[in-house]
Amino acid sequence: MTRTARTAPDVLADAARELAPADDANPLVSLLATGAAPREVFAALALEQHHIITGDRRSFLFLAERAAARPAEAAFFRFLAEGETEAFRRLTALTAACGLDATAVEAHEPRPGCQAYPAYAAWLALGAEPSDAVVALTANFAAWSGYCGAVAQAMRRHYGFADDACSFFDFFAEPSPEAESLAVAAVQSGLDSGLLTERLAHRYGRLLQSYELLFWRTLTA
């Protein structure tokens, strides 16, 4: 019997399903959803994101360079890097709404638990097959997007933040058909070249999800 070839949508859907965190895995988002978390957590989150966004943008650009011979994969990572640039611009409003000035941002010492995710993203940029990284990152973004949507809603409902302060989370919560299309093309490139290894992609994705949750749990402590 001939085995049906795997398609990029199959690979991405399987990874998103198998790597999805449990509904109760993120304690901070649960607290924010009810207004039980202190308002100060948003300042801590904004300060950590200043480091995360900068690091992730560099990692995505490096992955784009490594994938230069495979245009679909390079395009995916360039799109992610552009998204980080936009996210950083939106973060300014959240930082201001939390009463943080440039001096406070510069003086902040990042927490190891919050910075494990970008550190691992940098590891992927150096050592992972780019198409494997596409699968891992896309699966993680599904969880991150859901968290951002819940946080944006809580900010308005329980903490009185204006829309501009919420726009950082709104940006990541909004569905992106372009990102989906680019991910499918990038994964198909990996399948066509024979370079994509789902076992490794799922390993990378599992670790990314764990470091994602470590970020939120560190802010809860």
Side-chain angles (χ1 to χ4, degrees), residues 188-210:
Q188 193 61 54
S189 171
L191 290 171
D192 292 344
S193 66
L195 294 174
L196 190 150
T197 305
E198 287 190 71
R199 176 180 59 83
L200 292 178
H202 283 222
R203 175 188 295 174
Y204 302 151
R206 176 178 56 80
L207 289 169
L208 278 176
Q209 296 285 48
S210 295

Side-chain angles (χ1 to χ4, degrees), residues 54-145:
T54 302
D56 283 352
R57 183 177 184 277
R58 286 196 295 262
S59 295
F60 297 151
L61 288 173
F62 191 73
L63 277 160
E65 290 180 15
R66 288 184 55 217
R70 299 186 295 280
E73 295 170 47
F76 174 81
F77 292 115
R78 284 196 299 269
F79 179 83
L80 294 189
E82 291 167 3
E84 296 299 314
T85 300
E86 174 62 17
F88 194 85
R89 184 187 70 78
R90 291 175 180 237
L91 186 62
T92 302
L94 175 60
T95 303
C98 292
L100 301 168
D101 58 15
T103 301
V105 172
E106 179 66 26
H108 176 68
E109 290 297 329
R111 307 181 194 188
C114 289
Q115 299 302 316
Y117 182 102
Y120 189 63
W123 185 93
L124 293 178
L126 288 172
E129 177 58 43
S131 58
D132 292 344
V134 174
V135 176
L137 287 163
T138 302
N140 173 250
F141 292 158
W144 165 248
S145 176

